[in-house]
Amino acid sequence: MHKTILITGATAGFGAAAVDRFLNAGWRVIATGRRASRLQELEDRHGAERLHTAAFDIRDADAMQAALDAIPEPFRRIDALVNNAGLALGTVPAQQADLLQWRQMIDTNVTALVTLTHALLPQLIERRGVIINISSIAGSWPYPGGNVYGGTKAFVTQFSLNLRADLHGTGVRVTSIEPGMAETEFTLVRTGGDQAASDTLYQGANPMTAGDIADTIFHVATLPPHLNINRLEIMPVSQSFAGFQVHRASGA
Ligand code: NDP
Ligand code: 8X3
């Protein structure tokens, strides 16, 4: 019997790679994102027998509910939810940041994630399913310019842990996956389409790939039912920690 997984943010990066990973392993996949053309490319590649796609903006709660209501019968019993859709916008300090960008990150990374989780919780409980939330190292480790992005990911991590507490005894597993640097469209989006900035960031850094994270999601989703990884922080070997910054008075 095929299991069914719903993956948000499936038009690029981790989500698109996860769609490939689960389909190739025989799962049924529901793939969502805004860019219908990218979802069509997934269908062109895999066919529609075990893949259902739904194009909508995840910040639009009515569109989300309509997409859930329109899921065709063979896909309706969802065993796994991957809350992956998300983004960072901007790298400037808080005092120079654009409030609309802050709101977009909160609406996408936080509000949409909890809305979808809330909608699917009853059937995930019924099916003793798994919830995998894509958080980030930015939720644990602050850095200049991380401001609201880091705040949203701290929420995702803590929400995941609190879900674990509430779902105690239901058999539902919840994992917060917290990646470091991975080369996807993430930096292109963050910089407003600056391909050179994206290339410069990843050049020579041997970052993680979308496939690395897709494999990690697959590993978590297919653990034996008695095991739960609460948090999984993962970085490329090339990335580690730096010291605190110290501001000194001039002339000191
Ligand atoms: P990408 O930019 O490659 O993919 C982001 C995905 O999110 C796209 O499919 C995009 O689809 C979707 N998305 C964004 N906004 C919306 C929206 N309003 N409605 C629906 N879908 C949306 O980035 P990644 O694959 O790297 O990012 C995936 C997740 O991983 C994000 O939550 C990110 O914060 C997190 N992450 C990324 C890291 C990295 O270094 N790459 C590290 C740690 C965490 P579309 O544009 O078609 O709507
Ligand atoms: C993405 C990782 O370090 O660029 O969440 O914020 S980082």
Side-chain angles (χ1 to χ4, degrees), residues 28 36 50 74 88 121 126 218:
R28 279 201 184 90
R50 282 188 293 109
L121 265 179
E126 194 179 317
F218 187 78

Side-chain angles (χ1 to χ4, degrees), residues 8-16 32-36 38-39 55-60 83-88 104 107-109 112-113 133-138 149 152-153 156 177-190 201-202 207-208 210 213 234 239:
T8 68
T11 57
F14 302 164
T32 80
R34 283 169 301 185
R35 284 170 287 179
R38 294 283 186 93
L39 296 174
F56 62 92
D57 188 325
I58 204 161
R59 293 169 293 170
D60 180 341
N83 280 313
N84 166 71
L87 77 174
Q104 183 173 346
D107 292 347
T108 310
N109 302 358
L113 183 148
N133 292 329
I134 307 302
S135 178
S136 167
I137 57 165
Y149 178 67
T152 65
K153 291 304 185 178
V156 173
I177 296 182
E178 300 160 17
M181 178 190 274
E183 186 168 5
T184 62
E185 294 178 11
F186 177 83
T187 300
L188 202 57
V189 171
R190 185 171 207 169
L201 180 68
Y202 299 125
M208 294 186 292
I213 303 303
I234 177 169
Q239 185 177 33

